[in-house]
Amino acid sequence: MPSNRNHSHCDPVPTAHDWEEEKRRYHDFYDDGTMTFFWRAHTLLVLLIFTCCLVYVAVFEDTGDVSLEFTTKRGIIAMILAFLLFGVTQTPDGPFHRPHPALWRLVLCLSIVYELFLIFLLLQTADHGRQLLKHIDNALGEPLPEREYCQNCYFYDPNNPSNPFHNVWEKMDGFVASHFFGWWLKTLILRDYWLCTVLSIMFEILEYTFEHQLPNFCECWWDHWILDALICNGLGIYIGMRTLRYLSMKPYHWRGMWNIPTLGGRLKRIATQFTPYFWMDFDWRPIETLKRWVAMIAVISMFLLAELNTFYLKFVLWVPSEHYLCLGRLILFLFWGAVSMRETFQYLDDPNCKKFGRQSWMTAAITITELLVSIKFGWHTITKPIPVYLQYFWLTGLIGLISWTVWHFFIVHYIYKDHNKKAVQAQREENAPILDSNENEFQSSNQTNSLNSKNGIVRRKKKT
């Protein structure tokens, strides 16, 4: 598609997606009568069940011999569940409708709860914050054991003739699978090959940059570029793009479950309820306008910051990598990221969308708050100076980025605009003689017609 500088100020910039068709599609989204109970919010039924639970706790439950810690924990959990219940039934629907809008309302409310927890954690001291996690798991709140990294970076170790590739086999653990599946899912979220590739390479560079602060960032060169970037990340991105191609080419035609005559067809219809209602490709067009370019830099920065927060948070809070809290956070971020990217794409592409999405706002707030927690609890880690050669590397990259931005969006735009002015002026000068001759012919014709009309009037007067 042509860039924005090819359009006049009065012409609207063409969008990558037909948003009017999007509105019509969701406006025509209806229940054919076979899934009515499934799609209803059931607000009164939920309120009745919620009230019954509260009545049971207040009147019938025996609370004779319980500790203050137990009642406090249970009260906090009940408070969170009450908020989630209200959010699932009352908050507006998000951009996704499958498998059910209530799921995505729950995802939004969970992000709010997590952000509130981060704010509470941010107001604690480092020691109090770590000990606070003991209320979640007694094994937490203890310093992490020190491990050695990058001690032997031989791809082929001649000193171990029985198993010369032992360094490679030692890296084949659960994190290899997590890298592959993680980038497969991230590709489904971002829906752009080059954006995923840039993020994959940039994160490996960030690991080089901060390996003096986080020991587990210290990896062998072949672990960075062959095992991680090329094999795990690259293969995950490739499979993700093949999946995107299938989803974009797949026909989306839905029938009511009870309108399907066979049992196998009904079971298949239930399974497809967990697939998209329709598919939208993301054409980010990062260099079409300055706004899109700056927005894409912000998206990349926030994405990489969220990735870094994963490692810094577990380091400063003393949470082991294999703990379920780390896995739970990653799973939640996949859901949050899916909705956020969809809202961000619409915000950039739809001219009628003037408001940043709810989930995008919460995801950005969570990422920033996590960064502040990492800075506050790990100040001595964060303030370790970056090596000088890496400072020069990032400074060079920053200057190159700013220079290219100025060149592409200002200098080239000015040259193109000046060239257009000269071309228009030359076209006018070329057409000027033709216009003058046409105007002279028109004037002479008018004069002849006027003279003829006068002569006719004179003749009529003489006759009379």
Side-chain angles (χ1 to χ4, degrees), residues 150 153 155 171 179 200-211 214-234:
C150 299
C153 282
F155 188 79
K171 298 293 183 181
H179 272 74
S200 175
I201 295 175
M202 284 295 298
F203 187 74
E204 298 301 325
I205 296 175
L206 287 175
E207 286 189 330
Y208 272 117
T209 304
F210 297 112
E211 64 182 8
L214 298 183
N216 58 335
F217 275 175
C218 184
E219 297 176 346
C220 302
W221 66 268
W222 48 267
D223 195 359
H224 276 296
W225 301 112
I226 298 179
L227 188 59
D228 285 351
L230 185 61
I231 297 178
C232 296
N233 301 357

Side-chain angles (χ1 to χ4, degrees), residues 23 31 40 73 102 155 182 217 246 266 299 341-342 452:
K23 295 176 183 178
D31 178 18
R40 286 179 180 173
K73 289 182 179 179
F155 188 79
F217 275 175
Y246 166 77
R266 293 177 182 179
V299 168
M341 288 298 101
R342 168 63 172 76
N452 291 335

